[in-house]
Amino acid sequence: MSLRLANARLIDCSGERQGDVCIDGGKIVSDMPCDETVDVGGLAVLPALIDIHCHLRDPGYPKKETMETGMRAAVAGGFGTLVAMANTLPVIRTPEQVMANQKKARDLGLCTLIQAAAAGMDLKDETPTDYEALSKVTRVISNDGKTIFSDDFMRNLLLASQKYGFIVSTHCQPEREIVARDIKLLREVGGRLHVGHISRRETLDMIRKAKQEGLGLTCEVTPHHLFGYDNDYKVNPPLRTKDDVKALIEGISEGVIDCVGTDHAPHTSADKKAGMAGISNFDYALGVYIRVFTDNGIPLSTLSRMGALTPAALLGTGCARITSGQSADLILVDPDAAWTIRTGEMRSRSHNTPFAGRKVKGRVLSTMLRGEVVYRAGENKEQDG
């Protein structure tokens, strides 16, 4: 059945416009007579978000999160595609493990899953995984959760990324030293480097300079590093200073920061009390993004570029625009709706966040993937836990 979303505020990387969007056969199509018309009353329609960095804890850690609980939280937060890191139990290091998780996601019928694979056996920078074989089933190789300290291992990983076409997504702690090292190696050998969850002004300055040199690297920033500072809540990397937050927002405005990525990293309450680092944020990440962007005069078209178009280009999933021929992965959002983060309303199995009680902006009213509604506000929360 074909569907027209009428009277919409259409927002994607190209800007904003008023109009309709027609959907047929799971794709956006050119204007046509449709079987059903829904007047959305001027609400915003955007491409569904692509989270280039998250943790689903599946397989191995069902008390923290399952793929289903994580994806139900994700679609409620406006995400259509997730890149899940490999620090599961067992660590995902073979093509068979990657494909098994991706099949599990397809069977759920929620988010599209791009399962990252480990760069090293057991996430160690000693014995590499089979990069050639893995590159045939995933676009992301990462030891995220662990830092690659070996220069030789990282050099060979960058060389392999260039040869086989995958992205090296990095976890950098200590951040400034490791990012400086990785940029130096990128300058030497090339490669496809993506710097995860940057948090410092100095890191941004290094990346800006590297891009000015013409080096081909990308980077991401999380919602919590845009929204929190001078707070000892344990995340990796830590929440920094107000000046660092200001710098990161400037980096978004300047176009130096390429992507937003949640680093959704759920834990049990006992884990957090024991000092484990991580935050659950699928449910409210878009609300943080919209508040930060609008408070700082950054257009939501920039958010769509960073949260959909650029990740899609890096991952090879399509162009993530509201244009004919694209998959109908869309979200209906009230961008002006203010609301309060409450842990009791989170759909993730884990509710670990320092932001309970904080005000954010922008409500996801529905999420459509491949032309099918997979989330509608107010429905089916009892399935999410």
Side-chain angles (χ1 to χ4, degrees):
M1 184 179 74
S2 57
L3 172 67
R4 178 189 300 272
L5 300 177
N7 190 25
R9 179 184 170 192
L10 304 176
I11 303 173
D12 64 12
C13 61
S14 64
E16 297 190 22
R17 59 199 183 276
Q18 290 295 128
D20 301 352
V21 57
C22 296
I23 299 160
D24 189 34
K27 292 185 178 295
I28 300 168
V29 296
S30 300
D31 189 40
M32 58 177 276
C34 292
D35 299 319
E36 181 182 359
T37 296
V38 176
D39 188 330
V40 300
L43 293 171
V45 174
L46 298 89
L49 299 176
I50 298 171
D51 189 3
I52 201 164
H53 184 160
C54 72
H55 302 264
L56 292 178
R57 309 300 192 201
D58 196 335
Y61 299 101
K63 291 183 179 180
K64 299 173 187 279
E65 193 82 282
T66 66
M67 189 180 293
E68 182 171 3
T69 61
M71 286 189 171
R72 289 195 181 280
V75 295
F79 294 93
T81 298
L82 306 177
V83 177
M85 295 295 117
N87 56 341
T88 52
L89 185 65
V91 170
I92 293 178
R93 59 182 180 82
T94 68
E96 292 75 19
Q97 290 169 311
V98 170
M99 290 187 291
N101 250 22
Q102 293 182 161
K103 181 183 184 301
K104 186 173 185 178
R106 287 194 299 273
D107 290 345
L108 283 172
L110 295 167
C111 300
T112 297
L113 176 67
I114 295 173
Q115 178 60 62
M121 296 294 186
D122 299 321
L123 300 178
K124 296 177 181 178
D125 50 357
E126 298 170 357
T127 305
T129 53
D130 187 340
Y131 301 143
E132 181 178 7
L134 288 168
S135 68
K136 296 174 182 177
V137 296
T138 184
R139 294 290 290 268
V140 183
I141 305 291
S142 179
N143 271 5
D144 188 78
K146 302 288 186 181
T147 297
I148 294 173
F149 289 105
S150 167
D151 290 6
D152 286 342
F153 188 96
M154 187 64 185
R155 182 182 291 106
N156 289 330
L157 180 59
L158 287 171
L159 285 166
S161 74
Q162 189 163 318
K163 181 176 182 179
Y164 299 119
F166 59 80
I167 299 162
V168 179
S169 180
T170 60
H171 179 104
C172 301
Q173 285 185 274
E175 183 176 302
R176 290 168 292 193
E177 290 87 339
I178 297 297
V179 171
R181 188 277 311 269
D182 289 348
I183 290 172
K184 178 177 179 291
L185 291 175
L186 186 68
R187 190 180 291 118
E188 287 179 17
V189 301
R192 303 189 67 201
L193 175 65
H194 179 77
V195 183
H197 44 49
I198 69 170
S199 66
R200 289 187 179 275
R201 176 182 286 276
E202 297 95 328
T203 307
L204 181 70
D205 291 342
M206 285 189 284
I207 291 171
R208 180 188 291 109
K209 184 174 183 296
K211 289 187 171 190
Q212 289 169 349
E213 290 179 38
L215 296 181
L217 74 162
T218 55
C219 67
E220 74 195 35
V221 66
T222 73
H224 42 285
H225 289 109
L226 297 173
F227 201 50
Y229 55 86
D230 297 334
N231 185 317
D232 62 3
Y233 189 86
K234 192 154 180 68
V235 287
N236 282 333
L239 300 177
R240 304 298 188 182
T241 68
K242 189 174 183 179
D243 180 67
D244 289 309
V245 172
K246 180 174 181 288
L248 295 173
I249 293 170
E250 290 169 355
I252 290 172
S253 295
E254 296 169 14
V256 178
I257 300 176
D258 303 275
C259 305
V260 285
T262 67
D263 196 15
H264 173 82
H267 287 299
T268 65
S269 297
D271 292 335
K272 290 302 294 181
K273 287 178 182 175
M276 285 193 177
I279 188 169
S280 299
N281 57 16
F282 277 156
D283 293 271
Y284 60 81
L286 181 59
V288 171
Y289 296 148
I290 292 177
R291 176 174 169 182
V292 169
F293 279 56
T294 56
D295 283 358
N296 290 279
I298 303 170
L300 295 185
S301 56
T302 299
L303 174 56
S304 185
R305 172 176 57 78
M306 297 178 68
L309 182 78
T310 300
L314 289 172
L315 300 168
T317 61
C319 77
R321 295 177 63 176
I322 304 176
T323 188
S324 179
Q326 294 304 301
S327 179
D329 291 4
L330 300 168
I331 53 176
L332 179 66
V333 178
D334 181 351
D336 299 318
W339 56 284
T340 301
I341 298 169
R342 294 188 174 92
T343 56
E345 296 176 358
M346 292 172 65
R347 289 169 172 79
S348 170
R349 179 156 288 177
S350 299
H351 298 165
N352 41 294
T353 178
F355 299 135
R358 293 281 301 274
K359 296 282 188 183
V360 291
K361 190 175 182 182
R363 276 281 193 189
V364 178
L365 302 177
S366 65
T367 299
M368 176 183 289
L369 301 179
R370 302 166 291 278
E372 298 292 331
V373 174
V374 294
Y375 167 76
R376 187 175 282 113
E379 290 187 0
N380 299 325
K381 187 174 187 303
E382 67 275 5
Q383 299 178 9
D384 301 338

